[in-house]
Amino acid sequence: MLQALALLARSPDGLRADEAAEALGRSVSTAYSLLDSLCQEGFAVHEHRGAYHLAAAVEPAAVKRGAVVGASLSDVLDELFARTNKRSYLAAASAGSLIIPAMRGRQGMRRMPGLGRQIGDDAHALALGKVALSLLNPEGLARYIERGLRRHTPATIVRPDHLFAELEDVRQAGFASDVEEYEPDFCCLAAPVHDSEGRAVAILGISMSRRSYAQEHHELQRTVCEVASQARIRIASPVQAALPENDRRS
């Protein structure tokens, strides 16, 4: 999936399924399946003439960065899923939106309704997004807030002063949570991954039911933070920072 996404980012004139199959070393039917899945998740569009294109809202630079980060931290995501037994996510941020290049789960495990592979103006309602917002400088955060803090549930933070306080807690604690703020009966925990130079390169997170959160969130929070912290050691070489330099906190 990541390779197909990267191919689309390198194909401004469009990509046919047979071209993708040849480049990926897969069957044409498999290439169709991968490309159609990208369309369903909002990453790609399929023209009537058969060519697939990167969706207009998705930045090629963010796709390439997400693919690199996803490949670098694939084993870390596997470990997070194995240790928590919760649906697990890896996110990389770019210019006000989050790309989710990889996730882990098993058949029958609930997926958060409405959460695709990209998070834009919903960042304030999700733990993954709160981590990204906590890393922005004041100007970058102000630009996000100017778009409006949309309410998803009664628990969604919609007042800027409340969001400021929440993000300061995230910075101090080193992790973020959301409790039914994006969707009823869904809660999340997330923590940043840093490279050897201390740059935030990705975000790890998990989602669960309200009941699971109430029963397990202390242990799960420790696990998410531990896996994210140890991931720095396993990054073989520094990858590009998850947040653009002009939006990072100084």
Side-chain angles (χ1 to χ4, degrees), residues 25-110:
R26 305 278 182 167
S27 68
V28 174
S29 61
T30 298
Y32 269 118
S33 178
L34 290 171
L35 293 168
D36 286 341
S37 294
L38 290 174
C39 290
Q40 292 172 12
E41 297 290 353
F43 277 101
V45 293
H46 189 190
E47 291 187 345
H48 68 280
R49 293 184 179 180
Y52 291 82
H53 292 265
L54 200 65
V58 180
E59 299 179 15
V63 170
K64 293 175 183 177
R65 176 160 54 252
V68 171
V69 172
S72 300
L73 298 174
S74 179
D75 62 329
V76 174
L77 188 61
D78 289 338
E79 179 182 347
L80 181 63
F81 176 61
R83 290 182 59 178
T84 62
N85 196 33
K86 306 298 181 188
R87 187 170 288 279
S88 302
Y89 309 84
L90 176 66
S94 177
S97 66
L98 283 174
I99 298 292
I100 303 178
M103 65 175 69
R104 298 290 185 271
R106 66 171 185 273
Q107 188 172 4
M109 185 173 282
R110 296 173 67 200

Side-chain angles (χ1 to χ4, degrees), residues 164-175:
F164 291 145
E166 177 84 356
L167 297 181
E168 183 57 35
D169 288 344
V170 172
R171 297 183 196 106
Q172 294 296 323
F175 73 93

Side-chain angles (χ1 to χ4, degrees), residues 83-242:
R83 290 182 59 178
T84 62
N85 196 33
K86 306 298 181 188
R87 187 170 288 279
S88 302
Y89 309 84
L90 176 66
S94 177
S97 66
L98 283 174
I99 298 292
I100 303 178
M103 65 175 69
R104 298 290 185 271
R106 66 171 185 273
Q107 188 172 4
M109 185 173 282
R110 296 173 67 200
R111 296 189 61 169
M112 189 177 296
L115 180 63
R117 295 278 182 167
Q118 185 170 8
I119 300 170
D121 294 341
D122 302 325
H124 62 287
L126 291 158
L128 290 168
K130 290 180 185 179
V131 172
L133 293 176
S134 75
L135 296 167
L136 293 178
N137 61 25
E139 292 76 17
L141 182 57
R143 287 196 295 272
Y144 177 85
I145 291 175
E146 285 174 1
R147 304 177 197 170
L149 302 178
R150 185 160 69 95
R151 184 183 297 279
H152 293 269
T153 74
T156 306
I157 296 174
V158 294
R159 286 181 48 177
D161 57 333
H162 289 179
L163 182 61
F164 291 145
E166 177 84 356
L167 297 181
E168 183 57 35
D169 288 344
V170 172
R171 297 183 196 106
Q172 294 296 323
F175 73 93
S177 63
D178 70 79
V179 182
E180 297 183 297
E181 296 172 40
Y182 182 77
E183 183 72 22
D185 199 32
F186 278 91
C187 305
C188 303
L189 292 162
V193 175
H194 297 87
D195 67 9
S196 58
E197 299 180 13
R199 301 176 302 178
V201 296
I203 305 167
L204 287 173
I206 57 174
S207 63
M208 70 213 76
S209 68
R210 182 66 176 86
R211 179 178 179 181
S212 292
Y213 183 86
Q215 295 175 341
E216 308 175 69
H217 75 274
H218 291 298
E219 180 61 31
L220 290 172
Q221 172 256 305
R222 284 193 291 270
T223 300
V224 171
C225 289
E226 182 177 316
V227 173
S229 177
Q230 292 177 350
R232 178 189 303 213
I233 301 172
R234 286 188 251 178
I235 299 175
S237 59
V239 295
Q240 188 173 350

